[in-house]
Amino acid sequence: MNLTVKIGKAEFANPVTVASGTFGCAQRYYNLDEIKGLGAITLKTVTLHARQGNPPPRIVETPSGMVNAIGIENPGADGFIEQKLPSLREIGVPLIISILGHTDKEFEILTEKFNALEGIHALELNLSCPNLGKKTLVAQDPKSTSRVVKLVKKASRLPVIAKLSPNVTDISVIARAAQDAGADAVSLVNTFAALVIDVKRKRPVLGNSSGGLSGPAIRPIAVYMVDRAAQAVSIPIIAMGGIMTAEDALQFILAGASMVAVGTANFINPRAPLEILAGIKKYMKENKLHDIQEIVGSVRA
Amino acid sequence: MAKIQHVCQVVSNEKFCPKFYRLCFAAEPIRRKVRPGQFVHIRAGEGLEPFLRRPFSVSRLPAGGHGAKKHVEILYEAVGPGTRILASKKKGDVLDVLGPLGTPFRMPPQGIKQVVMIAGGIGAAPFFMLSDALKGKGYNLILLYGGRSRGHVFNMREFKRQGCKVYTATDDGSVGVRGRVSVLFDKIKTAPAATFLYACGPRPMIASVQVFARRHNIGGQVSCEETMACGLGACLGCSVLTASGYKTVCCDGPVFDIDEVEIPLP
Ligand SMILES: Cc1cc2nc3c(=O)[nH]c(=O)nc-3n(C[C@H](O)[C@H](O)[C@H](O)COP(=O)(O)OP(=O)(O)OC[C@H]3O[C@@H](n4cnc5c(N)ncnc54)[C@H](O)[C@@H]3O)c2cc1C
Ligand SMILES: Cc1cc2nc3c(=O)[nH]c(=O)nc-3n(C[C@H](O)[C@H](O)[C@H](O)COP(=O)(O)O)c2cc1C
Ligand code: FES
């Protein structure tokens, strides 16, 4: 049974990774032997300078999901490289580093910093960052998406994945822009902009006011967007959005995803990524599939 | 994948006082490792509602024969969907539990003679285990308990048996002194260098303990609450502001030194 996935020149042993910002403290709480079963680990977004994040409350539960406004709390690239990377490398699972620049220059510096390091397999660009001079995010504008992907591609020796925001009118336009700019893959979806109001206090629940919705509540919309994107691009798609079970993951694969990322489900069931991988294997066996690629996008076959 | 994830059988689930329940489940690995102040993260339902796990302090490790060597207890109040589902659990039902999680209380430093536990309502939960760890060590143990009303006051014999002096206040005066638990602070003989405080309860109470501790220069620890998702330090959703920036309640806490945290008040 062949489960390997290729993204640019990077190869992953299977199509299951964890979504940025939803997996951590591996050493303290997990059986490392089991984690080794993952295809890749995608890490929390790193910015050039440390960020302390948003004021609490940062999360609120919603029907079949949650809204978060963490504010990309992270120790900055140098802090991450010194404090976190060494032990992550030891796990022995391919690492996908998520980076976010507040300017083109920051994206360039971040790319160069990670270029210089061993044990990293790909860069994921968190394009849900402010688009300087405009009120939108980079990921909401095909031109800006193209510009950032191009400049990172030029500097990077690693495969580059463009992570797209679902808060757009037509995801296929942005996906195409990323592909045309040279991205090795696109990943989608990030969280949906959302607001929860405390009626008693007449104020937003979250310290940051609005946040991003994740979890099973967004899954059907995410599957739809992956299906749309798959029709627009030929590069691999890493799909996420409310995946809790193997069946959920398979929906995305049938819609056109080569790889799937488990996000919020990690909070409810830390075993979810491994159970999903086992379930995909079982499905392949039952359907007499030899290569996972046989069913990627096959909903349209 | 997580070595802290356990499928546990409910042993008993009973009313402890009109408003509180005590739930006992079998989890030998948790019992073996847990320290006072740590918590467990429980998936109350089986489907998607409620969606997230719910955190509960480990309250007590019951003594006794047979299976009791595996037993772990939480004390809880049914306040919403998650805790209402918990209240419906019966002996033999299974619970998906992560734990033990978080940083425990530290033992009082050298030279301490008087240890005061200050609890607001269900905040008393971790003090059953803490007082058990502190008994017989020569401390003058005191529990100051504040509850909303009669329904929130429970039998204090377990604390008394451990040599604890107990003082109670209720908001409506139905039991003990009338007022918040802070009306009991005068029971603390303020010999700052020899006194250590532990506090667990609603935020305004923690804030009042902070004010008191600062005014009298008394050391101690507080257990904080914040909405949690993962409970494992992964999502950074449960952060509280501390003297050294944001820290997670689930991993760096829930227990912090009194002076370390800044309590957000509405
Ligand atoms: C480290 C930690 C230890 C805890 N230990 C205990 C314990 O030993 N016993 C116990 O009964 N409860 C404890 N709690 C609080 C407990 O987690 C909440 O009562 C529970 O999540 C409520 O879930 P629910 O679905 O029943 O209610 P929800 O619908 O989630 O909430 C109902 C009401 O309770 C309030 N609430 C919800 N979560 C919290 C919270 N984390 N802190 C304060 N208020 C909250 C809400 O604002 C709402 O008004 C602890 C919380 C933390 C963070
Ligand atoms: C608490 C939390 C933190 C997140 N942090 C990041 C982040 O730092 N960078 C990023 O690109 N996406 C982040 N995400 C988005 C997820 O990676 C994922 O795209 C999204 O949650 C949808 O997948 P899910 O429904 O499976 O969680 C975060 C999501 C959550 C819930
Ligand atoms: S609940 Fe996720 S970091 Fe604390």
Side-chain angles (χ1 to χ4, degrees):
Chain A
M1 203 185 280
N2 184 19
L3 286 154
T4 55
V5 182
K6 271 195 144 161
I7 288 176
K9 63 178 185 342
E11 194 171 285
F12 304 101
N14 68 64
V16 179
T17 181
V18 287
S20 178
T22 64
F23 184 83
C25 280
Q27 282 73 8
R28 186 160 166 193
Y29 290 126
Y30 291 89
N31 286 331
L32 289 186
D33 281 349
E34 287 192 308
I35 294 193
K36 283 194 172 71
L38 293 173
I41 294 177
T42 311
L43 295 155
K44 172 88 189 157
T45 297
V46 180
T47 51
L48 184 56
H49 304 292
R51 283 172 62 97
Q52 73 158 4
N54 289 326
R58 290 176 171 189
I59 51 179
V60 56
E61 186 179 54
T62 56
S64 297
M66 61 182 277
V67 178
N68 87 81
I70 309 297
I72 322 253
E73 177 180 340
N74 79 95
D78 292 337
F80 170 83
I81 291 166
E82 268 171 46
Q83 298 153 32
K84 310 233 159 145
L85 192 58
S87 60
L88 288 163
R89 256 199 219 112
E90 268 172 35
I91 300 173
V93 173
L95 300 179
I96 300 174
I97 306 287
S98 167
I99 58 172
L100 181 152
H102 289 92
T103 60
D104 289 2
K105 188 78 204 158
E106 283 191 9
F107 265 115
E108 240 164 46
I109 301 173
L110 283 163
T111 306
E112 278 154 16
K113 278 187 192 286
F114 288 105
N115 262 341
L117 301 170
E118 292 298 313
I120 295 170
H121 292 70
L123 287 182
E124 181 174 79
L125 311 183
N126 183 343
L127 298 176
S128 297
C129 51
N131 194 358
L132 284 187
K134 298 188 187 150
K135 282 217 170 97
T136 55
L137 306 175
V138 167
Q140 288 171 325
D141 174 26
K143 285 207 189 82
S144 312
T145 298
S146 168
R147 190 189 72 239
V148 172
V149 171
K150 265 190 193 141
L151 76 91
V152 173
K153 257 316 267 184
K154 205 167 147 207
S156 176
R157 70 176 177 85
L158 297 162
V160 173
I161 304 157
K163 181 161 181 180
L164 310 184
S165 163
N167 301 306
V168 294
T169 32
D170 187 352
I171 194 83
S172 55
V173 174
I174 314 285
R176 179 84 61 84
Q179 169 172 285
D180 292 349
D184 297 283
V186 287
S187 57
L188 62 150
V189 295
N190 211 319
T191 54
F192 286 77
L195 177 62
V196 180
I197 295 170
D198 179 338
V199 179
K200 252 192 241 154
R201 290 173 45 240
K202 306 185 182 67
R203 288 283 169 278
V205 171
L206 296 181
N208 183 57
S209 178
S210 67
L213 179 64
S214 66
I218 69 172
R219 191 175 56 234
I221 325 178
V223 173
Y224 171 74
M225 288 187 149
V226 167
D227 179 68
R228 292 276 308 178
Q231 293 175 61
V233 300
S234 55
I235 51 176
I237 295 174
I238 304 175
M240 66 209 84
I243 298 176
M244 302 285 286
T245 64
E247 192 174 321
D248 301 343
L250 284 158
Q251 286 198 46
F252 282 99
I253 294 171
L254 291 165
S258 299
M259 206 161 177
V260 290
V262 181
T264 302
N266 287 301
F267 307 155
I268 286 85
N269 176 16
R271 289 192 62 87
L274 291 173
E275 288 176 5
I276 287 163
L277 178 59
I280 292 174
K281 286 183 184 162
K282 186 164 165 261
Y283 179 87
M284 287 176 68
K285 214 172 181 179
E286 283 167 5
N287 289 273
K288 302 196 171 56
L289 300 168
H290 302 290
D291 194 324
I292 184 83
Q293 299 304 324
E294 290 170 47
I295 53 163
V296 171
S298 68
V299 73
R300 288 177 301 276
Chain B
M1 167 145 78
K3 55 191 172 197
I4 34 78
Q5 189 170 13
H6 311 281
V7 176
C8 311
Q9 281 213 331
V10 173
V11 175
S12 62
N13 187 21
E14 281 154 12
K15 277 239 166 116
F16 186 57
C17 66
K19 293 286 185 186
F20 300 161
Y21 296 79
R22 184 177 253 177
L23 186 148
C24 177
F25 57 91
E28 193 271 332
I30 295 179
R31 175 156 178 144
R32 192 156 24 91
K33 281 197 229 132
V34 67
R35 296 282 165 272
Q38 287 189 296
F39 69 97
V40 288
H41 209 24
I42 300 182
R43 189 171 180 185
E46 272 157 29
L48 296 177
E49 305 301 329
F51 184 59
L52 298 173
R53 287 172 180 270
R54 298 290 192 259
F56 299 92
S57 302
V58 171
S59 178
R60 199 176 71 138
L61 306 179
H66 327 320
K69 283 199 199 73
K70 297 186 202 156
H71 294 175
V72 175
E73 287 177 351
I74 60 167
L75 191 69
Y76 65 99
E77 183 175 0
V79 293
T83 44
R84 277 199 291 272
I85 292 176
L86 272 192
S88 72
K89 296 283 175 193
K90 305 244 167 344
K91 182 179 170 152
D93 287 353
V94 287
L95 277 181
D96 175 347
V97 183
L98 302 182
L101 304 177
T103 304
F105 290 116
R106 63 183 164 87
M107 290 296 108
Q110 283 261 302
I112 295 298
K113 297 203 169 64
Q114 173 180 243
V115 174
V116 187
M117 295 173 285
I118 305 167
I122 202 68
F127 292 149
F128 288 84
M129 207 180 147
L130 181 67
S131 64
D132 192 49
L134 293 172
K135 73 173 181 216
K137 296 213 162 107
Y139 298 120
N140 180 14
L141 285 178
I142 298 173
L143 172 72
L144 307 183
Y145 179 77
R148 235 167 298 154
S149 184
R150 182 172 292 281
H152 294 84
V153 177
F154 50 88
N155 192 325
M156 295 291 172
R157 66 167 180 259
E158 290 175 43
F159 284 103
K160 288 179 183 156
R161 219 184 282 141
Q162 283 156 352
C164 216
K165 250 189 245 119
V166 180
Y167 301 93
T168 304
T170 48
D171 292 0
D172 59 5
S174 53
V175 183
V177 185
R178 182 195 202 95
R180 297 289 157 114
V181 73
S182 49
V183 302
L184 302 171
F185 287 175
D186 62 3
K187 305 291 175 205
I188 304 171
K189 309 247 173 327
T190 44
T195 302
F196 201 70
L197 306 178
Y198 294 101
C200 184
R203 277 183 195 151
M205 186 208 96
I206 302 281
S208 72
V209 172
Q210 257 183 349
V211 170
F212 175 81
R214 279 183 191 143
R215 184 181 316 136
H216 297 284
N217 203 16
I218 301 176
Q221 293 198 296
V222 296
S223 180
C224 295
E225 286 193 5
E226 194 52 70
T227 318
M228 288 185 184
C230 68
L232 305 174
C235 70
L236 306 180
C238 65
S239 298
V240 285
L241 198 56
T242 71
S244 47
Y246 282 114
K247 289 199 171 176
T248 57
V249 168
C250 68
C251 232
D252 304 314
V255 175
F256 294 95
D257 277 352
I258 281 187
D259 262 335
E260 202 182 349
V261 270
E262 291 173 27
I263 304 298
L265 289 171

